[in-house]
Amino acid sequence: MVSVLVPSSRWPRWCENFERGHGPTTYRVADGVLLGAAEDGSHATARLPYGAAYDGPATPGDLVAALVVPGDWGVLLVRKGGFAMARMKGAAMGESKTGQRHVQGRTKAGGQSQQRFARRRDNQARQAYEAAAEHAVRILGDCHGPVVTGGDHAAVGEVLGDPRLSRLRVVDPWLAVPDPRRGVLEQSVIDAGAIQVDVTNA
């Protein structure tokens, strides 16, 4: 199975290319998603972004027409030593924050030196996650809409483990991003609003 994020503007062309490659496709709606079955036995599952369920007519055009950007939503990206987040007002970015903290890499030293190094690295990572959590509470803490996350699963889990963030509604897709910088955050906002498609080729 291959998973892709398709911007709404490219969705009609993507469907045309899918049918060109796999043959005429029939569509049906089930469990909040649009399911496509092609003539050659390939399948595509399309989901609306922002955790929205789809229950409209079984056509690609109606799916994309049902895409509505929430009035209040967010993006949270965290990796060891770096974070980026944004509070979104529809398609417009409101308050945002990016930050980097130095977290040492691994060492080849052994024995007690390695243990001290590991403790220091863990402390640095914990401080970085705590800093990210403080900013997340300030920017996203009272967000009523969905929040899309990405970066490193363990790092995001550490930040979301803050009890003050327990009410956030985290939705797919998971965004596998490099170190979160401003440009990465801006692209992640675009990716968060894309149609999520899983393709199983025959």
Side-chain angles (χ1 to χ4, degrees):
M1 184 179 71
V2 178
S3 298
V4 294
L5 297 174
V6 183
S8 59
S9 61
R10 289 174 44 203
W11 175 241
R13 177 61 62 85
W14 189 95
C15 293
E16 292 173 6
N17 290 339
F18 180 80
E19 295 205 24
R20 186 177 297 113
H22 300 285
T25 301
T26 57
Y27 295 94
R28 64 187 179 91
V29 176
D31 300 323
V33 301
L34 180 68
L35 304 169
E39 187 178 56
D40 71 350
S42 299
H43 292 81
T45 301
R47 295 177 174 81
L48 289 172
Y50 312 116
Y54 180 66
D55 60 0
T59 71
D62 285 299
L63 175 76
V64 75
L67 197 164
V68 176
V69 182
D72 182 26
W73 62 286
V75 175
L76 173 65
L77 311 172
V78 190
R79 294 188 68 86
K80 186 175 288 187
F83 62 86
M85 62 194 72
R87 181 75 170 266
M88 303 296 299
K89 304 299 181 184
M93 186 180 294
E95 187 171 4
S96 65
K97 178 68 177 180
T98 61
Q100 284 77 44
R101 286 208 171 208
H102 176 67
V103 178
Q104 291 177 302
R106 297 186 179 277
T107 178
K108 295 181 180 180
Q112 291 182 342
S113 294
Q114 185 177 28
Q115 294 172 4
R116 286 195 301 271
F117 190 91
R119 286 195 298 270
R120 186 182 308 120
R121 187 179 65 240
D122 290 343
N123 287 337
Q124 290 172 338
R126 186 178 66 255
Q127 291 170 1
Y129 299 150
E130 290 173 352
E134 287 298 328
H135 289 293
V137 168
R138 177 173 57 83
I139 295 174
L140 300 172
D142 62 347
C143 182
H144 298 293
V147 175
V148 177
T149 58
D152 175 78
H153 283 283
V156 170
E158 288 287 341
V159 173
L160 292 179
D162 190 303
R164 296 171 294 175
L165 299 172
S166 62
R167 293 186 179 181
L168 294 185
R169 180 166 65 90
V170 176
V171 301
D172 289 333
W174 170 262
L175 302 176
V177 299
D179 286 342
R181 304 297 172 95
R182 181 68 185 188
V184 172
L185 177 61
E186 292 173 348
Q187 182 60 49
S188 295
V189 168
I190 295 172
D191 292 342
I195 294 172
Q196 305 158 45
V197 189
D198 296 329
V199 179
T200 302
N201 292 310

